Amino acid sequence: MSTENEGTNEGTPVPPAPSAPPVPVESSSAAAPQAPASDAGATTPLPQTPPAAPAAPAAPVGDWPPPAAPQPAPAAAEGNWPPPAAPPTAPAAPAAATDGWQNPPTTPLYAEAGVGAGTHAYGDAGAHAYGDAGAPGAGGAGGAGGAGGAGGAGGADGLAWGASYQQPAPKPGRGGRGGLVAAVLVAALVAGGLGGGLGYTLAKNDDNTGSTTVSASTSGGDVKRAAGSVAAVAEAALPSTVTIQAESSNGEGGTGTGFVFDTQGHIVTNNHVVADAVDGGKVTATFPNGKKYDAEVVGHAQGYDVAVIKLKNAPSDLKPLTLGDSDKVAVGDSTIAIGAPFGLSNTVTTGIISAKNRPVASSDGTGSSSSYMSALQTDASINPGNSGGPLLDAQGNVIGINSAIQSTGSGGLGGTSQSGSIGLGFAIPINQARYVAQQLIKTGEPVYAKIGASVSLEDSGNGAKITDQGSGGASAVESGGPADKAGLKPGDVITKLDDTVIDSGPTLIGEIWTHQPGDKVTITYERDSKTHTVELTLGSRKGDN
């Protein structure tokens, strides 16, 4: 940010303006010397002071005034003010008062500011100027307030020779000189006015401060934005997003995000956002316009990390977000994330699709890694509170549900710390989330695709190994299930599902859950160091248990 320099340089002494030479008068008294200006912004010499009438001597203040100088007194050299004292001369006879007004003393009073009426002298900046504002004074330049003159407006922040006074009546036979004085005063005023006006105009038209600003031709509200711009997408999508507050029966809970799924008031979000409120808790949803609604959990899928809530007394003007096709998303496509990171509702961030089919195991907040996804990876900033919010493409279509982040402070995906984004965010593909949400709305329970075999959850990097024994001592390969029918056995290592490489058990589970029961898939596996390929039809399992 630049600052305008208006000519004031505080702390740097400004040389005093040279004094005006005295004007000869028919008197033996000394003419009053011109006082230096204290206006810190003025550095040019002040115009000469018009002749002042002889004045009656003032009462001395301390050792002042100094003895009167002989007539005429030479002008003091600049920088040597006040001039040295001259030999004393006889004091001038006081002039006759006009209307009871006493003329100022012949010699200026150098008293401290504030000592006696009209005794402000070469004191601090902020003392009275050459002639108080609006008062008739000895002509000359005013202080910071403007040009002075006989009867003109003096500055309010300059120096004073004393209280303002009226010019004494001219003596008989001196009319010529009086006319000359009047002419000089008029010329000084005209010149001062012209000079001041010209200086202001030049300063206004030729600002040499080095700061140049350019004003916009239109305000921000008048700018027309392209339909595919981030601003346009955000403007259209924000009214259909909500900030969700979920609390358990004992008051524990947190904040997440959701978006309008249909006109009936269903809101899609993450399971871990509303998990605390499933059993007797409380859920509210707040729109960007501030309207807040109570809601209830319609259904939740722990394995998919998807949940659906429904607004109570939902408004009739709900606008569901358009659902895109996550299978057609390409790496490098633009993304827009909307959410409430750390409770900051209606936050919009942008990025790209960094990767597809990223295997992610996340937590529902209880510490167990029980949710698996084949995620869309994005570098759009996603933080705690963004969970459940929509991940949009450049046209504003929902392509995913923001669900998890990798963070340096979490110790891995699914950690419980509140570390922030490092550019590694993961979203559930909308094709999968749409299917799950529809099942939850229809039955209240999730339906999972399965192969009917238990696999190790260890991240070996070599594939998903079918375990020797299933959960609770059951067989690792379900009798009569899809894997059993395809000839799979304990110890087989599954390395591919269709064209997707499988490097671990969680990767296999996440990839299976991108399909629906009844889908046909091709399984590639290894047994005794030999590779085999088999086709099977996925089975189904209801509920999280």
Side-chain angles (χ1 to χ4, degrees), residues 299-326:
H300 63 103
Q302 181 179 347
Y304 290 124
D305 197 18
V306 174
V308 176
I309 64 174
K310 186 175 183 181
L311 303 178
K312 297 179 180 179
N313 302 316
S316 59
D317 58 349
L318 290 176
K319 295 181 179 179
L321 291 181
T322 303
L323 305 183
D325 187 348
S326 54

Side-chain angles (χ1 to χ4, degrees), residues 377-407:
Q377 179 180 327
T378 181
D379 65 348
S381 181
I382 297 174
N383 291 282
N386 276 100
S387 293
L391 184 68
L392 310 174
D393 62 16
Q395 287 70 46
N397 303 313
V398 181
I399 56 175
I401 300 177
N402 301 318
S403 182
I405 62 172
Q406 174 69 62
S407 180

Side-chain angles (χ1 to χ4, degrees), residues 153-396:
D157 295 322
L159 304 174
W161 293 99
S164 58
Y165 65 97
Q166 295 181 349
Q167 185 74 18
K171 296 182 180 180
R174 305 299 178 186
R177 176 159 299 186
L180 177 60
V181 170
V184 170
L185 291 175
V186 172
L189 288 174
V190 172
L194 290 176
L198 179 61
Y200 172 78
T201 301
L202 291 176
K204 180 179 180 182
N205 296 335
D206 187 20
D207 183 6
N208 60 357
T209 60
S211 175
T212 302
T213 60
V214 179
S215 298
S217 58
T218 57
S219 63
D222 297 331
V223 176
K224 294 183 179 179
R225 296 174 175 86
S229 68
V230 175
V233 170
E235 183 180 12
L238 276 170
S240 298
T241 61
V242 295
T243 299
I244 297 175
Q245 295 281 350
E247 294 182 4
S248 64
S249 56
N250 60 9
E252 295 181 355
T255 300
T257 309
F259 62 91
V260 177
F261 187 71
D262 57 28
T263 57
Q264 286 72 43
H266 291 108
I267 306 294
V268 172
T269 185
N270 283 140
N271 170 71
H272 71 262
V273 171
V274 299
D276 288 332
V278 169
D279 297 322
K282 178 181 178 182
V283 180
T284 60
T286 305
F287 285 85
N289 62 8
K291 292 184 178 180
K292 187 175 183 179
Y293 297 87
D294 290 331
E296 61 181 353
V297 179
V298 172
H300 63 103
Q302 181 179 347
Y304 290 124
D305 197 18
V306 174
V308 176
I309 64 174
K310 186 175 183 181
L311 303 178
K312 297 179 180 179
N313 302 316
S316 59
D317 58 349
L318 290 176
K319 295 181 179 179
L321 291 181
T322 303
L323 305 183
D325 187 348
S326 54
D327 289 341
K328 295 181 179 180
V329 172
V331 173
D333 284 350
S334 297
T335 58
I336 302 170
I338 299 178
F342 297 101
L344 300 175
S345 301
N346 316 316
T347 296
V348 177
T349 57
T350 62
I352 63 169
I353 293 293
S354 305
K356 295 180 62 177
N357 304 318
R358 184 71 73 192
V360 174
S362 63
S363 170
D364 62 357
T366 63
S368 61
S369 296
S370 53
S371 299
Y372 304 95
M373 69 186 83
S374 182
L376 298 174
Q377 179 180 327
T378 181
D379 65 348
S381 181
I382 297 174
N383 291 282
N386 276 100
S387 293
L391 184 68
L392 310 174
D393 62 16
Q395 287 70 46

